[in-house]
């Protein structure tokens, strides 16, 4: 259950080891912060082999140029 000041965010991960893009829904308390790298580590990712971003919308736009 979310507390009053918590926000649902999305952590999108480009994992070079698996060659996949992963997305996690996470609950963030702005006053406490959120440790993205700790979450990645606990999810089994190698932080040094990933790029990631945290954002409010679950949508990800793709550039589909031919």
């Amino acid at each position: 259950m979310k507390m009053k000041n918590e926000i649902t965010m999305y952590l999108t991960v480009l994992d070079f080891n698996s060659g996949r893009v992963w997305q996690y829904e996470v609950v963030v308390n702005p006053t406490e912060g959120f440790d993205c790298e700790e979450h990645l580590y606990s999810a089994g990712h190698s932080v040094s082999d990933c790029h990631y971003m945290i954002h409010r919308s679950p949508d990800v736009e793709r550039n589909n140029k031919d």
Side-chain angles (χ1 to χ4, degrees), residues 1-8 26-28:
M1 176 179 233
K2 282 194 324 186
M3 301 296 278
K4 184 177 179 179
N5 58 343
E6 293 179 327
I7 303 168
T8 299
V26 295
V27 176
V28 176

Side-chain angles (χ1 to χ4, degrees), residues 20-65:
R20 299 178 88 180
V21 176
W22 302 83
Q23 190 171 68
Y24 301 97
E25 184 177 300
V26 295
V27 176
V28 176
N29 183 329
T31 60
E32 295 177 11
F34 179 76
D35 188 342
C36 292
E37 292 187 359
E38 179 60 34
H39 185 83
L40 293 175
Y41 178 75
S42 66
H45 297 283
S46 173
V47 175
S48 63
D49 294 324
C50 293
H51 285 191
Y52 60 89
M53 65 180 176
I54 190 162
H55 47 99
R56 289 186 180 216
S57 171
D59 300 330
V60 176
E61 288 189 35
R62 294 176 49 183
N63 184 351
N64 292 324
K65 290 184 179 180

